[in-house]
Amino acid sequence: MKKIFYFIAISMLSATELGNETYLWPTDASKTITTVFGDVRPRRYHAGLDIRTYGRSGDNLYAIADGYVERIRVSSSGYGKALYLRLNDGRIVVYAHMSQFSPTLNTLAQQIQKKEQKYSINQILDPQKYKVKKGDIIGFTGDTGSISGPHLHFEIRDKSNRPLNPLLTNFEIKDTRFPEANEIAIIPLEENSRINNQI
């Protein structure tokens, strides 16, 4: 119950903090999503959007606004190859499961891997070193990490690194499919709750 309350509280926070942005859509792969923010996963909630790439890798990933690359991460599990951008508005944007970074960031990742003598890296970067402008290509979609096919996992987080619903920004998704209820549950509010005068 605490998890549900926490998630609702974060969602309400999202709703009050978002809405006046002019963010660029993060990829040219598609404007179709396969998983939404808050989707239930084992032991957690999905903290972003999964954007469909139709089984392809190599579509462009764009900086959605001006900022800098705050963190670069490479792993054979989890998010695989991932970038964390700190936007000028203070928010953090996460791009995960990338096939490659931009050429400059690929070189940087390889240098860090060579220095640390390992494949997996998780490096915080100098804020002044890897600045990005809205629309810059920062990398390419892929299927690295723990996933079941190519897609972009995309997150927006607040200044304190808490997840926000990207669909509460200026992003618009054309939704042509109505929801279908698979189950319904009636849960008593308290021990003596009644429905149609029955316990």
Side-chain angles (χ1 to χ4, degrees):
M1 192 69 167
K2 286 182 182 178
K3 283 185 179 180
I4 292 171
F5 176 77
Y6 176 74
F7 183 72
I8 290 169
I10 290 294
S11 297
M12 289 173 64
L13 178 67
S14 298
T16 59
E17 288 195 3
L18 300 173
N20 298 318
E21 300 77 7
T22 56
Y23 293 149
L24 182 69
W25 186 249
T27 181
D28 59 5
S30 80
K31 280 205 167 184
T32 305
I33 57 175
T34 58
T35 307
V36 294
F37 177 84
D39 197 27
V40 179
R41 297 287 172 88
R43 299 178 305 279
R44 64 182 175 88
Y45 292 98
H46 193 248
L49 303 177
D50 284 349
I51 301 172
R52 186 186 305 274
T53 65
Y54 295 99
R56 296 184 315 261
S57 291
D59 291 300
N60 294 333
L61 296 175
Y62 302 109
I64 66 168
D66 294 356
Y68 63 91
V69 180
E70 181 175 68
R71 181 177 171 196
I72 190 168
R73 196 170 165 190
V74 177
S75 174
S76 57
S77 61
Y79 281 0
K81 290 185 178 179
L83 281 182
Y84 296 68
L85 304 186
R86 176 74 69 167
L87 305 181
N88 288 350
D89 64 14
R91 293 192 183 126
I92 301 164
V93 181
V94 182
Y95 304 76
H97 309 307
M98 300 169 68
S99 61
Q100 296 184 65
F101 306 118
S102 68
T104 301
L105 294 172
N106 269 339
T107 301
L108 172 65
Q110 290 164 0
Q111 289 170 347
I112 297 168
Q113 287 170 322
K114 187 174 182 180
K115 180 180 175 186
E116 296 188 6
Q117 295 186 351
K118 60 183 181 177
Y119 177 76
S120 294
I121 59 170
N122 185 7
Q123 185 76 38
I124 303 296
L125 304 175
D126 179 345
Q128 301 303 316
K129 195 150 188 191
Y130 298 97
K131 294 191 175 187
V132 294
K133 290 284 190 190
K134 181 178 181 178
D136 284 353
I137 295 175
I138 57 167
F140 305 93
T141 61
D143 64 350
T144 58
S146 304
I147 62 170
S148 57
H151 69 274
L152 169 64
H153 174 81
F154 174 78
E155 297 178 20
I156 297 178
R157 301 176 181 179
D158 70 9
K159 296 173 186 181
S160 299
N161 209 29
R162 294 174 298 201
L164 302 172
N165 185 351
L167 293 181
L168 295 178
T169 67
N170 62 288
F171 293 150
E172 291 184 15
I173 299 291
K174 194 172 197 177
D175 188 358
T176 58
R177 186 173 173 187
F178 291 99
E180 295 176 19
N182 295 327
E183 297 177 14
I184 186 167
I186 299 172
I187 301 167
L189 292 176
E190 55 188 45
E191 190 175 319
N192 294 325
S193 294
R194 296 180 178 271
I195 299 170
N196 293 335
N197 277 333
Q198 295 181 9
I199 296 180

